[in-house]
Amino acid sequence: MRIPYTGPLPPPIIIPRFANTLAGARHALTRFLAPTPYDRHHSAQSNDHRTVLLTGAGISVASGLADYRGTGGTYTLNKTYRPIYYNEFITNHEARKRYWARSFLGWTNLHKARPNTAHLAVRDLGKMGFVSNVITQNVDSFHSVAHPDLPTIELHGYLRELVCIHCHNQLLRSDFQRSLSALNPQWAAFLDQILTTGALDSENPAERRAKGLKSNPDGDVDVPDAPYTTFRYPACPTCLAQPPILVDGTKARVEMDKDGAWSPKSTAGVLKPAVVMFGESISSNVKTSAEEAIDGAARILIIGSSLATYSAWRLVKRAKERNMPIGILNLGGVRGEESFYAGISPSNNGELGTRCNESADRILPMLVNSLR
């Protein structure tokens, strides 16, 4: 995944003009998802109703998760924030300590968070036949939980499991959390303390900062000046039991310290979250599946994404090149949105494209009711 676009985003372009109110946005989105027979007759996509959704962090904010570029987003409030990069993670033991310590603190709240009304509305739209596929940039697994029968492509992976970078076996994140707790009793006591005091309960960034915490997307909790170098993490149990053969043909060495933590003397056995980190490539299978979902749909609706990552932006570009109607439901600006609506007819009422500046958890349930 390429480094995200961090330049200023343009203000949202409301299309059609009447979509500047909640009622107007609902009407425009209704026309977008369910064009009239006249609209379909004059559309390049004929009478095909299939819509693919592309979702981002904004759809999960109502579930209590942090986003990137919203009014309370990490990049908005913390200009110095930078996520860990793939090469840094796989080559730097100290970087992994820091990553897993912060993930250890953030996992409990992430694990107990649940899909919100927007995810459930997506489920209903799928059951009603208006949505054919979902492509999500999110790694929270909310879509697969909310609508297991609606095909979902997790473009950037998922946090519910880990994968070994050497043997490629996977491990449940919940099991890994218990191992981290056992290896780091002082950190576990600290986590119990902040959970007891409710320091992680508030999603208000100012309140969390007042309690000495910085929360970032994907279950990352930063405690300034924390002794991250003391944190320890386990080795891949598969590599530990049967060390793999390395690319040079030699057998890997996987060692633990006296307490069972991964030793830096090891040459394998490193576990990483099953997500696509910045600087890491999306697998060809996932990339192809996402492209096929675009090509097999009649229109695309972006929900809760500023399209700052190229992996998402290029899919919308692909849809534009195929002359597909494009809808955007997002609070705040979206990268390159002006180009997506260039040349759209002034008589458009939403069927040829729409841009709404509303929260998904508020308007999507209303949209479901309009389409019943």
Side-chain angles (χ1 to χ4, degrees):
M1 184 163 59
R2 295 188 185 181
I3 309 309
Y5 174 79
T6 57
L9 293 169
I13 306 169
I14 304 304
I15 297 174
R17 289 184 180 180
F18 62 74
N20 61 348
T21 66
L22 189 62
R26 177 177 63 175
H27 179 71
L29 285 166
T30 300
R31 290 292 292 269
F32 182 78
L33 288 179
T36 66
Y38 177 84
D39 297 332
R40 295 196 297 270
H41 178 72
H42 289 81
S43 169
Q45 301 298 328
S46 184
N47 62 349
D48 198 333
H49 275 195
R50 290 176 297 177
T51 298
V52 59
L53 303 186
L54 175 60
T55 69
I59 197 173
S60 294
V61 169
S63 294
L65 303 190
D67 67 346
Y68 287 94
R69 294 168 184 82
T71 54
T74 293
Y75 286 140
T76 304
L77 300 177
N78 184 4
K79 303 297 184 183
T80 61
Y81 170 75
R82 67 178 290 275
I84 193 168
Y85 290 79
Y86 176 68
N87 190 61
E88 180 183 10
F89 184 91
I90 65 171
T91 61
N92 191 320
H93 178 45
E94 291 300 318
R96 289 196 294 272
K97 287 183 184 180
R98 184 175 66 250
Y99 176 88
W100 285 125
R102 291 163 60 153
S103 175
F104 174 72
L105 297 178
W107 172 252
T108 300
N109 271 22
L110 179 65
H111 187 51
K112 73 180 183 181
R114 292 294 178 265
N116 62 60
T117 55
H119 299 99
L120 300 181
V122 169
R123 174 201 63 192
D124 294 340
L125 291 171
K127 288 181 177 180
M128 296 162 68
F130 293 106
V131 173
S132 57
N133 293 84
V134 176
I135 304 170
T136 185
Q137 301 170 74
N138 300 339
V139 295
D140 51 36
S141 301
F142 287 164
H143 281 292
S144 57
V145 170
H147 47 78
D149 297 327
L150 179 61
T152 300
I153 299 164
E154 294 169 304
L155 192 63
H156 297 155
Y158 39 84
L159 284 170
R160 61 182 178 269
E161 292 182 353
L162 290 81
V163 62
C164 177
I165 65 174
H166 298 99
C167 73
H168 308 297
N169 281 314
Q170 295 195 335
L171 180 74
L172 288 175
R173 179 62 178 80
S174 53
D175 292 343
F176 188 70
Q177 183 77 359
R178 286 189 285 271
S179 296
L180 293 178
S181 185
L183 284 172
N184 301 278
Q186 291 183 312
W187 282 87
F190 176 63
L191 175 58
D192 287 341
Q193 177 187 344
I194 61 177
L195 289 172
T196 300
T197 59
L200 289 174
D201 292 345
S202 172
E203 292 305 322
N204 184 302
E207 291 180 13
R208 283 202 172 183
R209 285 198 302 274
K211 295 175 181 178
L213 304 174
K214 291 181 179 179
S215 58
N216 301 306
D218 306 334
D220 173 43
V221 173
D222 182 20
V223 182
D225 302 319
Y228 292 129
T229 190
T230 66
F231 200 81
R232 297 179 298 171
Y233 55 89
C236 166
T238 303
C239 286
L240 196 59
Q242 187 174 355
I245 303 300
L246 301 176
V247 292
D248 63 2
T250 62
K251 191 174 185 179
R253 183 174 68 253
V254 183
E255 298 184 11
M256 300 184 298
D257 66 15
K258 61 183 178 61
D259 296 318
W262 185 87
S263 168
K265 296 178 182 178
S266 302
T267 57
V270 173
L271 291 161
K272 71 174 284 290
V275 300
V276 180
M277 292 180 164
F278 290 111
E280 183 179 6
S281 298
I282 297 174
S283 74
S284 57
N285 288 342
V286 171
K287 190 179 296 186
T288 299
S289 295
E291 291 171 351
E292 289 176 348
I294 298 294
D295 296 347
R299 52 187 57 79
I300 182 171
L301 176 61
I302 299 98
I303 302 176
S305 175
S306 61
L307 302 181
T309 58
Y310 180 76
S311 55
W313 182 83
R314 73 176 186 86
L315 293 174
V316 184
K317 178 176 178 287
R318 186 183 186 94
K320 176 66 175 178
E321 291 169 347
R322 294 176 62 83
N323 296 316
M324 293 167 58
I326 295 172
I328 297 177
L329 173 60
N330 185 63
L331 287 170
V334 170
R335 177 186 180 187
E337 64 178 271
E338 66 283 350
S339 66
F340 299 144
Y341 300 107
I344 196 167
S345 171
S347 62
N348 165 58
N349 287 312
E351 65 280 352
L352 301 178
T354 183
R355 173 62 169 100
C356 305
N357 193 49
E358 302 287 346
S359 59
D361 63 295
R362 187 181 183 192
I363 197 168
L364 287 183
M366 298 172 61
L367 181 59
V368 169
N369 289 332
S370 295
L371 291 168
R372 286 194 190 280

